[in-house]
Amino acid sequence: MNSPANGIVDLPQIDALALKSAGADLYQREDPSTLAEGHLLVTGEVERTTSFEKGMPGMEAMIDGRWVVDPILDDQALVINIQNKGLVVISGCAHAGIINTVEYAKKITGISTVHAVLGGFHLTGPAFEPIIQPTIDEMKRIDPDYILPMYCTGWNAINGFALEMPGKFILNTVGTTYRF
């Protein structure tokens, strides 16, 4: 990563050869795919359609010997369709944007009802402060039954969801089990 604030930072990477030699099967796919005999959907690359979710400002990657803007296209989420309830969307850090992620999950499944959205929403820090309110507004429009912003969502955004979606907001804590 080449960050204007921190310079070049070496981020951990997956060692594909070590994983394969340990017996792992690796599948690198851009398109949606399934796991667990079709019960879990992996989004693959998430479409970027919102006007306000722009990824990680300043993120660059060394590709073919030069620094280029890194849109973090390998960002993805897990999606589960809960019978008679709707989609449960589980994000990692949602570098594509949590709204983009949920809208893409709806598009690729053809299901418009969202039961729960949980995971990191990547809204922490000064660069993301301006998009907290638009994200909350769009999440209210999506109207999931439950919203569980975690870790990289940031304190200000978590509090915003708690205040503006009180009947749907669940504060995540370590060790909590969710049953949908």
Side-chain angles (χ1 to χ4, degrees), residues 26-99:
L26 300 180
Y27 302 97
Q28 295 178 305
R29 299 179 178 141
E30 296 174 5
D31 296 326
S33 59
T34 59
L35 299 171
E37 298 182 9
H39 295 288
L40 293 174
L41 174 69
V42 181
T43 61
E45 291 182 9
V46 174
E47 289 181 350
R48 317 299 170 99
T49 58
T50 65
S51 63
F52 58 89
E53 293 175 315
K54 302 291 185 193
M56 280 206 46
M59 183 66 89
E60 295 182 352
M62 178 70 75
I63 299 175
D64 296 328
R66 61 185 232 272
W67 288 104
V68 297
V69 172
D70 185 359
I72 313 177
L73 295 176
D74 53 347
D75 176 72
Q76 55 190 331
L78 290 175
V79 183
I80 306 160
N81 181 20
I82 306 295
Q83 189 173 9
N84 301 319
K85 293 184 179 181
L87 301 178
V88 173
V89 180
I90 305 170
S91 69
C93 279
H95 290 119
I98 194 61
I99 302 304

Side-chain angles (χ1 to χ4, degrees), residues 32-176:
S33 59
T34 59
L35 299 171
E37 298 182 9
H39 295 288
L40 293 174
L41 174 69
V42 181
T43 61
E45 291 182 9
V46 174
E47 289 181 350
R48 317 299 170 99
T49 58
T50 65
S51 63
F52 58 89
E53 293 175 315
K54 302 291 185 193
M56 280 206 46
M59 183 66 89
E60 295 182 352
M62 178 70 75
I63 299 175
D64 296 328
R66 61 185 232 272
W67 288 104
V68 297
V69 172
D70 185 359
I72 313 177
L73 295 176
D74 53 347
D75 176 72
Q76 55 190 331
L78 290 175
V79 183
I80 306 160
N81 181 20
I82 306 295
Q83 189 173 9
N84 301 319
K85 293 184 179 181
L87 301 178
V88 173
V89 180
I90 305 170
S91 69
C93 279
H95 290 119
I98 194 61
I99 302 304
N100 281 331
T101 302
V102 173
E103 291 297 342
Y104 187 62
K106 289 166 49 178
K107 176 182 176 179
I108 62 177
T109 62
I111 298 168
S112 60
T113 303
V114 179
H115 185 58
V117 180
L118 58 153
F121 297 177
H122 216 284
L123 294 169
T124 190
F128 294 96
E129 288 292 321
I131 70 165
I132 291 173
Q133 193 59 55
T135 302
I136 293 170
D137 292 344
E138 283 298 302
M139 193 63 74
K140 287 164 60 176
R141 181 192 57 76
I142 292 169
D143 196 29
D145 296 325
Y146 300 104
I147 184 87
L148 296 92
M150 300 176 184
Y151 47 99
C152 65
T153 303
W155 186 249
N156 292 339
I158 288 172
N159 282 313
F161 283 106
L163 290 171
E164 295 198 36
M165 299 179 77
K168 299 170 181 289
F169 173 83
I170 297 174
L171 181 62
N172 179 64
T173 56
V174 174
T176 302

